[in-house]
Amino acid sequence: MNAVALDIQKIRQDFPILHQEVHGYPLVYLDSAATSQKPKSVIEALSRYYLETNANVHRGIHTLSELATSQFEATRSHVAHFIGGVANEEVIYTRGTTESINLVAQAWGDLNIQTGDRIVITEMEHHANFVPWLRLAKRKNAEIVYIPITGDGLLDLAEAEKLITPNTKLVAFTHMSNVLGTINPVGALTELAHKQGALVMVDGAQSVPHLQVDVHELDVDFYAFSAHKMLGPTGVGILYGKQQHLEAMEPYQTGGEMIHMVSFTDVSWADLPWKFEAGTPNIGDVVAFKSALDYLDEISMESIRQHEIEITQYAMDSLKATGVITIYGPEDVSLRGGAVSFVVDGVHSHDLSTILDTQGVAIRAGHHCAQPLHSRLGVNSTSRASFYIYNTLDEVDRLVDAILQARRYFVRG
Amino acid sequence: MSVDNNLDDLYREIILEHYHDPHGRHEIHDADIRNEGKNPLCGDELALEIKLSNGEVEDIAVRCQGCAISVASGSMLTDAVKGKSLEEVKSISTKIKGMLKGEALPEDFDPEDLEALQGIRQFPVRIKCALLAWATLENGIKDYEAGKKETLNNITITSTEE
């Protein structure tokens, strides 16, 4: 499919929340890497589910329960198709990327990581793909090492090859950095890992909303992402895992929904994917998530990527042209996504965020849940503007104007 | 486009002066009280040292890596507590923390420059920025009084942010 230029004004009509004023200025929402806004179709699907269909899934023998179950499972089929045509059994619902990764760290990690084993992650990880592995390594007395980043915010692949040793059991990394925007070479890293017999866990929270992702082609073992960063509701995450690994794993949580048979003395687990879905799931939000996938399919991931390359290039050029802004991450927009982190000379990121907010411009300030990366970059905090399908070049101009305004406020004379 | 008037309440001229030229950024090598404060949510860091003489603050240093509010608050703190006894320092700290949370100051208490921090109340997510220095101060005094003057510890300020 060829990329077609997005009709941003038409898209914006689908997002009611964008049409409001903040402190007297039209809202400029540049924080989609934290969470995206939701189109009307998703909000209506959520409401329609509760108005018309609400029932528990996989148990009641009545019309509403069957309807709810079929809608709940229809989203799963759509997700399976969306990430490259995997089996439904390989798509597990969770609360979000964080829970997906924790599931693997516990259900796979407990069985497969032993004393002296090595876990390889990277310096650029979000805490969600950092802390579970650090904790697992401590619990198992295993070793954890970090693939360093280069000066321009890429992973150092030569170092990666040295660090991924025969005793490495797992290599975990982000597909797209939430701070640097870097798109990592998943295929190359996966090859290095598999050559040493290690499995691969990818944090796809920032990539799946913005890139076409085919987990088969990438050949990864586990891949995690969240609905809320890709137009869907909060509280829904996906864990993709290769069937053979999921089969071999113990359940993550136990209770209802995930069992096959229970007696007073014994229990057998349900089949995949339900083995990993204990308790009543987040049915309404899962059902509404399908409308988000429909929306993305409709405008196509290729077109989204093309739009984001254009707006990211424009933003980086405009920010750089001020002469007072340091941007982190790759300069080449073909190697990065639409999350742009920067520091304004003379203005702390929190002060900047406050001043921008008074002009209706919403950005993120702080360490973006990546403290080790910030200490590696040598800064306490950065500001981050992140773009999605509804952002315009005019909004980038508003951002830059507001930054210059803030700087005039702080840097006198 | 003009900057909102509210901003002038948050970033009063006196706050920007302290931010651009903070007081007490030196090092005290023979300090009696040392403490480090960190705000893990935003990454601000602050080191505080006090040299006592006859139970009074003879010298105080605050070195802060952070936003304008946390730097200015730390700078003003050094002015406010110099020459005071630890009991007086604790009492000032209680009053300023109260002020930041919206309580009225006693009529007989002159907060001097610190009065400028009152504008922060309109920006609830930024109150923790102003609190960092004071929480670090109180923690340092508590450790000193418990006989732990050599230990460094981090404090955490909770916030509604993130």
Side-chain angles (χ1 to χ4, degrees), chain A residues 23-93:
Chain A
H23 296 298
Y25 295 93
L27 169 66
V28 175
Y29 185 77
L30 301 179
D31 198 18
S32 292
T35 195
S36 77
Q37 297 301 348
K38 328 299 176 196
K40 263 185 296 198
S41 60
V42 170
I43 299 164
E44 284 163 6
L46 186 60
S47 146
R48 195 164 52 243
Y49 170 78
Y50 286 112
L51 288 169
E52 297 172 5
T53 318
N54 178 52
N56 213 327
V57 290
H58 300 140
R59 48 189 77 145
I61 305 181
H62 58 76
T63 303
L64 289 189
S65 175
E66 281 173 21
L67 262 179
T69 303
S70 81
Q71 290 178 9
F72 182 74
E73 292 302 328
T75 300
R76 196 188 313 269
S77 305
H78 200 147
V79 169
H81 176 74
F82 194 82
I83 57 173
V86 303
N88 285 1
E89 289 74 15
E90 297 176 312
V91 175
I92 315 291
Y93 291 134

Side-chain angles (χ1 to χ4, degrees), chain A residues 34-38 42 46 50 94-97 226-237 282-289:
Chain A
T35 195
S36 77
Q37 297 301 348
K38 328 299 176 196
V42 170
L46 186 60
Y50 286 112
T94 64
R95 283 190 298 133
T97 304
S226 299
H228 75 94
K229 293 191 203 285
M230 50 193 293
L231 311 182
T234 53
V236 177
N282 185 358
I283 307 163
D285 289 315
V286 165
V287 169
F289 181 34

